Amino acid sequence: MQFLNSLLNSMPGAVAQGLIWGIMAIGVYITFRILDIADLSVDGSFCTGGAVCVILTINGVPMAAALVAALVAGFLAGFITGVLHTKMGIPAILAGILTQLALYSVNLRIMGFGTSAGSRSNLPVSVDKYSLWVSARYVRDLSTKNPLPVILLFVFAVIVLTYVFFGTEIGASLRATGANAQMARAQGINTDSTKVMGLMLSNGLVALSGALYSQYQGFSDINMGRGAIVIGLAAIIIGETLFLKYFRHNLGLIMFSCAIGAVVYYVVIQIILKLGLSTDDLKLLTATVVAVFLAIPNLKLRRRTWKKGGKLHA
Protein backbone atom coordinates (compact mmCIF):
# COMPACT_ATOMS: atom_id res chain seq x y z
CA MET A 1 0.00 0.00 0.00
CA GLN A 2 2.83 2.38 0.85
CA PHE A 3 4.43 1.64 -2.53
CA LEU A 4 1.19 2.46 -4.38
CA ASN A 5 0.69 5.70 -2.44
CA SER A 6 4.26 6.78 -3.14
CA LEU A 7 3.87 5.89 -6.82
CA LEU A 8 0.58 7.77 -7.15
CA ASN A 9 2.10 10.84 -5.49
CA SER A 10 4.91 10.82 -8.03
CA MET A 11 2.63 10.50 -11.07
CA PRO A 12 1.71 14.22 -11.48
CA GLY A 13 5.41 15.09 -11.57
CA ALA A 14 6.15 12.29 -14.02
CA VAL A 15 3.34 13.44 -16.33
CA ALA A 16 4.45 17.08 -16.14
CA GLN A 17 8.08 16.23 -16.92
CA GLY A 18 7.02 13.84 -19.66
CA LEU A 19 4.93 16.52 -21.37
CA ILE A 20 7.76 19.07 -21.19
CA TRP A 21 10.19 16.56 -22.66
CA GLY A 22 7.47 15.67 -25.16
CA ILE A 23 7.99 19.08 -26.79
CA MET A 24 11.66 18.20 -27.09
CA ALA A 25 10.71 14.81 -28.56
CA ILE A 26 8.64 16.54 -31.25
CA GLY A 27 11.72 18.59 -32.15
CA VAL A 28 13.84 15.44 -32.34
CA TYR A 29 11.15 13.78 -34.50
CA ILE A 30 11.50 16.53 -37.10
CA THR A 31 15.17 15.75 -37.70
CA PHE A 32 15.21 12.04 -36.91
CA ARG A 33 12.12 10.94 -38.84
CA ILE A 34 11.18 13.73 -41.24
CA LEU A 35 14.67 14.87 -42.32
CA ASP A 36 16.38 11.53 -41.59
CA ILE A 37 19.20 13.32 -39.76
CA ALA A 38 20.66 12.30 -36.41
CA ASP A 39 21.11 15.73 -34.82
CA LEU A 40 23.17 15.55 -31.63
CA SER A 41 23.20 19.31 -31.09
CA VAL A 42 19.94 19.02 -29.12
CA ASP A 43 21.89 18.07 -25.99
CA GLY A 44 23.37 21.57 -26.09
CA SER A 45 20.36 23.55 -27.34
CA PHE A 46 18.15 22.13 -24.57
CA CYS A 47 20.45 23.73 -22.00
CA THR A 48 20.72 26.90 -24.11
CA GLY A 49 16.96 27.39 -23.92
CA GLY A 50 16.99 26.94 -20.16
CA ALA A 51 19.97 29.25 -19.66
CA VAL A 52 18.51 32.04 -21.82
CA CYS A 53 15.10 31.81 -20.13
CA VAL A 54 16.52 31.89 -16.59
CA ILE A 55 19.05 34.70 -17.12
CA LEU A 56 16.43 36.90 -18.77
CA THR A 57 13.86 36.16 -16.07
CA ILE A 58 16.34 37.07 -13.34
CA ASN A 59 17.07 40.34 -15.14
CA GLY A 60 13.41 41.36 -15.19
CA VAL A 61 12.38 40.33 -18.70
CA PRO A 62 8.72 39.19 -18.92
CA MET A 63 8.31 35.43 -19.09
CA ALA A 64 6.68 35.46 -22.52
CA ALA A 65 9.64 37.39 -23.95
CA ALA A 66 12.11 35.08 -22.18
CA LEU A 67 10.47 32.03 -23.77
CA VAL A 68 10.53 33.65 -27.21
CA ALA A 69 14.22 34.48 -26.72
CA ALA A 70 14.90 30.85 -25.77
CA LEU A 71 13.09 29.74 -28.94
CA VAL A 72 15.20 32.13 -31.05
CA ALA A 73 18.40 30.90 -29.35
CA GLY A 74 17.42 27.36 -30.37
CA PHE A 75 16.84 28.57 -33.94
CA LEU A 76 20.37 29.98 -33.99
CA ALA A 77 21.86 26.73 -32.67
CA GLY A 78 20.05 24.79 -35.40
CA PHE A 79 21.17 27.32 -37.99
CA ILE A 80 24.81 26.78 -37.02
CA THR A 81 24.44 23.00 -37.29
CA GLY A 82 22.70 23.39 -40.64
CA VAL A 83 25.38 25.66 -42.07
CA LEU A 84 28.16 23.36 -40.90
CA HIS A 85 26.40 20.46 -42.61
CA THR A 86 25.14 22.01 -45.84
CA LYS A 87 27.64 24.77 -46.61
CA MET A 88 30.82 23.26 -45.19
CA GLY A 89 30.17 19.65 -46.14
CA ILE A 90 30.52 18.32 -42.59
CA PRO A 91 28.48 15.13 -41.97
CA ALA A 92 25.29 15.91 -40.06
CA ILE A 93 26.14 13.82 -37.01
CA LEU A 94 29.56 15.46 -36.69
CA ALA A 95 28.11 18.94 -37.28
CA GLY A 96 25.72 18.31 -34.40
CA ILE A 97 28.54 17.18 -32.14
CA LEU A 98 30.58 20.31 -32.97
CA THR A 99 27.61 22.58 -32.21
CA GLN A 100 26.89 20.72 -28.98
CA LEU A 101 30.53 21.10 -27.94
CA ALA A 102 30.55 24.82 -28.69
CA LEU A 103 27.25 25.36 -26.86
CA TYR A 104 28.76 24.00 -23.64
CA SER A 105 30.98 27.08 -23.41
CA VAL A 106 28.25 29.38 -24.69
CA ASN A 107 25.82 28.14 -22.03
CA LEU A 108 28.38 28.72 -19.28
CA ARG A 109 28.77 32.29 -20.52
CA ILE A 110 25.03 32.87 -20.73
CA MET A 111 24.46 31.77 -17.14
CA GLY A 112 27.45 33.81 -15.97
CA PHE A 113 26.31 36.99 -17.71
CA GLY A 114 26.88 39.98 -15.45
CA THR A 115 29.04 38.11 -12.94
CA SER A 116 32.70 38.77 -12.18
CA ALA A 117 33.66 35.21 -13.18
CA GLY A 118 31.88 35.52 -16.52
CA SER A 119 30.60 31.94 -16.39
CA ARG A 120 28.46 29.72 -14.15
CA SER A 121 27.55 26.06 -14.28
CA ASN A 122 24.07 26.54 -12.79
CA LEU A 123 21.66 29.35 -12.10
CA PRO A 124 18.67 29.19 -9.70
CA VAL A 125 15.35 30.88 -10.36
CA SER A 126 13.00 30.68 -7.37
CA VAL A 127 9.25 30.67 -7.78
CA ASP A 128 9.14 32.77 -4.60
CA LYS A 129 10.94 35.67 -6.31
CA TYR A 130 9.84 35.41 -9.93
CA SER A 131 6.55 34.86 -11.74
CA LEU A 132 7.24 31.46 -13.25
CA TRP A 133 4.59 29.89 -15.44
CA VAL A 134 5.37 26.33 -14.37
CA SER A 135 6.87 25.04 -11.13
CA ALA A 136 7.30 21.57 -9.66
CA ARG A 137 6.30 22.94 -6.25
CA TYR A 138 2.64 23.14 -7.27
CA VAL A 139 2.40 20.03 -9.43
CA ARG A 140 0.14 18.27 -6.89
CA ASP A 141 -1.90 21.35 -5.97
CA LEU A 142 -5.49 21.68 -7.13
CA SER A 143 -5.10 25.39 -7.78
CA THR A 144 -4.44 27.85 -10.57
CA LYS A 145 -0.71 27.48 -9.89
CA ASN A 146 -0.70 23.84 -11.00
CA PRO A 147 1.70 23.69 -13.98
CA LEU A 148 -0.07 20.85 -15.84
CA PRO A 149 -2.70 23.02 -17.64
CA VAL A 150 0.01 25.43 -18.86
CA ILE A 151 2.25 22.59 -20.02
CA LEU A 152 -0.67 20.91 -21.81
CA LEU A 153 -1.45 24.20 -23.53
CA PHE A 154 2.13 24.48 -24.75
CA VAL A 155 2.13 20.89 -26.05
CA PHE A 156 -1.18 21.46 -27.85
CA ALA A 157 0.05 24.74 -29.37
CA VAL A 158 3.32 23.16 -30.56
CA ILE A 159 1.48 20.23 -32.20
CA VAL A 160 -1.08 22.47 -33.91
CA LEU A 161 1.46 25.03 -35.16
CA THR A 162 3.92 22.44 -36.46
CA TYR A 163 1.06 20.52 -38.11
CA VAL A 164 -0.07 23.70 -39.86
CA PHE A 165 3.51 24.50 -40.88
CA PHE A 166 4.06 21.10 -42.48
CA GLY A 167 0.86 21.62 -44.45
CA THR A 168 2.30 24.72 -46.12
CA GLU A 169 4.41 24.71 -49.28
CA ILE A 170 7.62 25.26 -47.29
CA GLY A 171 6.71 22.50 -44.86
CA ALA A 172 5.91 20.14 -47.73
CA SER A 173 9.30 20.96 -49.27
CA LEU A 174 10.96 20.04 -45.98
CA ARG A 175 9.13 16.72 -45.88
CA ALA A 176 10.02 16.03 -49.51
CA THR A 177 13.68 16.68 -48.75
CA GLY A 178 13.64 14.09 -46.00
CA ALA A 179 11.75 11.56 -48.11
CA ASN A 180 13.96 11.80 -51.21
CA ALA A 181 16.49 14.62 -51.46
CA GLN A 182 17.45 13.88 -55.07
CA MET A 183 13.84 13.94 -56.24
CA ALA A 184 13.24 17.12 -54.26
CA ARG A 185 16.16 18.82 -56.01
CA ALA A 186 14.78 17.64 -59.35
CA GLN A 187 11.54 19.43 -58.47
CA GLY A 188 13.42 22.69 -57.89
CA ILE A 189 13.59 22.54 -54.08
CA ASN A 190 16.68 24.00 -52.45
CA THR A 191 17.38 21.05 -50.18
CA ASP A 192 20.20 22.83 -48.34
CA SER A 193 17.80 25.56 -47.25
CA THR A 194 15.12 23.09 -46.17
CA LYS A 195 17.64 21.09 -44.14
CA VAL A 196 18.78 24.24 -42.36
CA MET A 197 15.16 25.21 -41.76
CA GLY A 198 14.34 21.79 -40.33
CA LEU A 199 17.33 21.89 -37.99
CA MET A 200 16.35 25.38 -36.85
CA LEU A 201 12.78 24.34 -36.15
CA SER A 202 13.90 21.22 -34.32
CA ASN A 203 16.39 23.00 -32.09
CA GLY A 204 13.96 25.84 -31.47
CA LEU A 205 11.41 23.41 -30.03
CA VAL A 206 14.13 21.69 -28.01
CA ALA A 207 15.24 25.04 -26.56
CA LEU A 208 11.62 25.92 -25.73
CA SER A 209 11.34 22.62 -23.90
CA GLY A 210 14.56 23.44 -22.02
CA ALA A 211 13.18 26.85 -21.05
CA LEU A 212 10.02 25.28 -19.60
CA TYR A 213 12.02 22.58 -17.84
CA SER A 214 14.36 25.11 -16.19
CA GLN A 215 11.32 26.91 -14.80
CA TYR A 216 9.76 23.66 -13.68
CA GLN A 217 12.81 22.49 -11.74
CA GLY A 218 13.75 25.98 -10.51
CA PHE A 219 17.19 26.29 -12.08
CA SER A 220 19.21 25.88 -15.24
CA ASP A 221 22.26 23.65 -15.19
CA ILE A 222 25.05 23.03 -17.67
CA ASN A 223 24.33 19.29 -17.61
CA MET A 224 20.54 19.48 -17.88
CA GLY A 225 20.61 18.58 -21.58
CA ARG A 226 23.01 15.66 -21.26
CA GLY A 227 21.37 12.58 -22.78
CA ALA A 228 18.45 14.62 -24.15
CA ILE A 229 18.75 12.98 -27.56
CA VAL A 230 18.36 9.54 -25.96
CA ILE A 231 15.22 10.60 -24.09
CA GLY A 232 13.85 12.13 -27.29
CA LEU A 233 14.50 8.96 -29.25
CA ALA A 234 12.97 6.90 -26.43
CA ALA A 235 9.80 9.01 -26.58
CA ILE A 236 9.59 8.65 -30.37
CA ILE A 237 10.13 4.89 -30.33
CA ILE A 238 7.68 4.33 -27.47
CA GLY A 239 5.05 6.48 -29.19
CA GLU A 240 5.53 4.67 -32.50
CA THR A 241 5.43 1.25 -30.83
CA LEU A 242 2.19 2.03 -29.02
CA PHE A 243 0.31 4.17 -31.56
CA LEU A 244 1.88 4.11 -35.04
CA LYS A 245 -0.57 1.60 -36.51
CA TYR A 246 -3.40 3.95 -35.50
CA PHE A 247 -1.75 7.31 -36.27
CA ARG A 248 0.46 6.46 -39.24
CA HIS A 249 -1.39 8.70 -41.75
CA ASN A 250 -1.73 11.86 -39.62
CA LEU A 251 1.35 13.91 -38.78
CA GLY A 252 -0.39 15.79 -36.00
CA LEU A 253 -1.33 12.56 -34.23
CA ILE A 254 2.18 11.20 -34.76
CA MET A 255 3.62 14.23 -32.96
CA PHE A 256 1.01 13.74 -30.24
CA SER A 257 2.23 10.15 -29.88
CA CYS A 258 5.77 11.49 -29.33
CA ALA A 259 4.52 13.56 -26.38
CA ILE A 260 2.62 10.57 -24.99
CA GLY A 261 5.73 8.44 -25.48
CA ALA A 262 7.70 10.87 -23.30
CA VAL A 263 5.03 10.64 -20.60
CA VAL A 264 5.10 6.83 -20.74
CA TYR A 265 8.89 6.93 -20.49
CA TYR A 266 8.83 9.03 -17.34
CA VAL A 267 6.06 6.94 -15.79
CA VAL A 268 8.10 3.78 -16.41
CA ILE A 269 11.16 5.47 -14.90
CA GLN A 270 9.19 6.43 -11.80
CA ILE A 271 7.82 2.92 -11.37
CA ILE A 272 11.26 1.37 -11.57
CA LEU A 273 12.79 3.96 -9.23
CA LYS A 274 10.02 3.32 -6.69
CA LEU A 275 10.89 -0.37 -6.87
CA GLY A 276 14.27 0.52 -5.41
CA LEU A 277 16.63 1.10 -8.33
CA SER A 278 19.39 3.59 -7.52
CA THR A 279 19.37 6.92 -9.35
CA ASP A 280 23.01 6.18 -10.21
CA ASP A 281 21.68 3.52 -12.58
CA LEU A 282 19.30 5.91 -14.36
CA LYS A 283 21.40 6.19 -17.53
CA LEU A 284 21.66 2.40 -17.71
CA LEU A 285 17.89 2.19 -17.27
CA THR A 286 17.33 4.75 -20.03
CA ALA A 287 19.53 2.81 -22.45
CA THR A 288 17.71 -0.41 -21.54
CA VAL A 289 14.25 1.13 -22.06
CA VAL A 290 15.26 2.53 -25.46
CA ALA A 291 16.84 -0.77 -26.51
CA VAL A 292 13.72 -2.71 -25.50
CA PHE A 293 11.33 -0.47 -27.43
CA LEU A 294 13.66 -0.42 -30.44
CA ALA A 295 13.68 -4.21 -30.44
CA ILE A 296 9.90 -4.65 -30.09
CA PRO A 297 9.02 -4.02 -33.79
CA ASN A 298 11.66 -6.51 -34.96
CA LEU A 299 10.55 -9.08 -32.39
CA LYS A 300 6.94 -8.69 -33.54
CA LEU A 301 8.05 -9.22 -37.15
CA ARG A 302 9.97 -12.36 -36.21
CA ARG A 303 6.98 -13.70 -34.30
CA ARG A 304 4.60 -13.14 -37.21
CA THR A 305 7.07 -14.69 -39.64
CA TRP A 306 7.61 -17.86 -37.62
CA LYS A 307 3.88 -18.21 -36.99
CA LYS A 308 3.41 -18.36 -40.74
CA GLY A 309 6.17 -20.94 -41.01
CA GLY A 310 8.37 -18.65 -43.06
CA LYS A 311 11.94 -17.55 -42.71
CA LEU A 312 13.16 -14.11 -41.81
CA HIS A 313 15.69 -12.75 -44.26
CA ALA A 314 18.08 -9.94 -43.45
Side-chain angles (χ1 to χ4, degrees), residues 59-171:
N59 284 279
V61 176
M63 184 54 67
L67 290 173
V68 171
L71 184 69
V72 172
F75 287 159
L76 291 174
F79 176 78
I80 292 170
T81 303
V83 169
L84 289 174
H85 173 50
T86 60
K87 302 303 181 184
M88 299 186 181
I90 300 174
I93 190 168
L94 183 55
I97 292 173
L98 292 173
T99 303
Q100 177 195 141
L101 185 65
L103 286 176
Y104 187 90
S105 296
V106 171
N107 295 336
L108 288 172
R109 292 293 182 181
I110 292 172
M111 289 188 286
F113 179 77
T115 65
S116 57
S119 64
R120 292 184 63 172
S121 60
N122 57 67
L123 193 62
V125 56
S126 173
V127 69
D128 296 323
K129 295 181 180 180
Y130 306 100
S131 299
L132 305 184
W133 287 4
V134 294
S135 173
R137 180 181 299 181
Y138 305 111
V139 74
R140 287 192 291 271
D141 288 1
L142 297 177
S143 67
T144 55
K145 293 183 177 180
N146 190 300
L148 279 171
V150 176
I151 297 171
L152 282 169
L153 181 61
F154 268 96
V155 172
F156 178 76
V158 165
I159 292 173
V160 170
L161 291 175
T162 51
Y163 178 76
V164 171
F165 169 76
F166 281 111
T168 64
E169 184 176 348
I170 297 176

Side-chain angles (χ1 to χ4, degrees), residues 5-16:
N5 288 335
S6 176
L7 183 61
L8 288 174
N9 287 333
S10 68
M11 282 301 103
V15 173

Side-chain angles (χ1 to χ4, degrees), residues 8-305:
L8 288 174
N9 287 333
S10 68
M11 282 301 103
V15 173
Q17 289 188 73
L19 289 172
I20 292 173
W21 284 88
I23 296 174
M24 187 273 301
I26 293 172
V28 173
Y29 180 87
I30 292 172
T31 51
F32 183 64
R33 287 297 191 217
I34 295 179
L35 276 180
D36 195 25
I37 291 176
D39 178 26
L40 299 184
S41 61
V42 298
D43 282 22
S45 57
F46 186 84
C47 179
T48 301
V52 169
C53 179
V54 170
I55 194 66
L56 291 179
T57 301
I58 289 174
N59 284 279
V61 176
M63 184 54 67
L67 290 173
V68 171
L71 184 69
V72 172
F75 287 159
L76 291 174
F79 176 78
I80 292 170
T81 303
V83 169
L84 289 174
H85 173 50
T86 60
K87 302 303 181 184
M88 299 186 181
I90 300 174
I93 190 168
L94 183 55
I97 292 173
L98 292 173
T99 303
Q100 177 195 141
L101 185 65
L103 286 176
Y104 187 90
S105 296
V106 171
N107 295 336
L108 288 172
R109 292 293 182 181
I110 292 172
M111 289 188 286
F113 179 77
T115 65
S116 57
S119 64
R120 292 184 63 172
S121 60
N122 57 67
L123 193 62
V125 56
S126 173
V127 69
D128 296 323
K129 295 181 180 180
Y130 306 100
S131 299
L132 305 184
W133 287 4
V134 294
S135 173
R137 180 181 299 181
Y138 305 111
V139 74
R140 287 192 291 271
D141 288 1
L142 297 177
S143 67
T144 55
K145 293 183 177 180
N146 190 300
L148 279 171
V150 176
I151 297 171
L152 282 169
L153 181 61
F154 268 96
V155 172
F156 178 76
V158 165
I159 292 173
V160 170
L161 291 175
T162 51
Y163 178 76
V164 171
F165 169 76
F166 281 111
T168 64
E169 184 176 348
I170 297 176
S173 298
L174 198 155
R175 295 172 68 181
T177 299
N180 191 325
Q182 291 183 340
M183 182 61 71
R185 283 192 292 270
Q187 298 297 320
I189 297 173
N190 187 330
T191 55
D192 284 351
S193 296
T194 54
K195 286 179 181 179
V196 172
M197 188 184 308
L199 287 163
M200 290 177 65
L201 178 59
S202 171
N203 282 273
L205 293 179
V206 171
L208 176 63
S209 175
L212 291 172
Y213 190 65
S214 65
Q215 287 185 63
Y216 179 81
Q217 65 181 1
F219 63 92
S220 61
D221 185 87
I222 193 63
N223 293 315
M224 63 185 280
R226 182 172 293 178
I229 184 65
V230 178
I231 297 176
L233 292 176
I236 292 171
I237 299 303
I238 291 171
E240 288 180 343
T241 302
L242 296 177
F243 303 111
L244 187 58
K245 65 179 179 180
Y246 308 108
F247 296 165
R248 125 179 6 258
H249 301 298
N250 189 301
L251 183 60
L253 292 177
I254 291 174
M255 290 187 288
F256 173 73
S257 74
C258 293
I260 297 301
V263 173
V264 172
Y265 168 81
Y266 267 96
V267 168
V268 171
I269 293 294
Q270 282 298 319
I271 292 173
I272 297 178
L273 289 177
K274 294 301 179 183
L275 289 172
L277 184 73
S278 171
T279 54
D280 293 338
D281 299 323
L282 196 55
K283 296 297 183 183
L284 174 61
L285 173 61
T286 299
T288 303
V289 170
V290 174
V292 168
F293 277 94
L294 279 170
I296 285 176
N298 185 54
L299 293 175
K300 285 183 176 179
L301 176 60
R302 288 177 179 273
R303 183 182 178 186
R304 287 196 301 267
T305 303

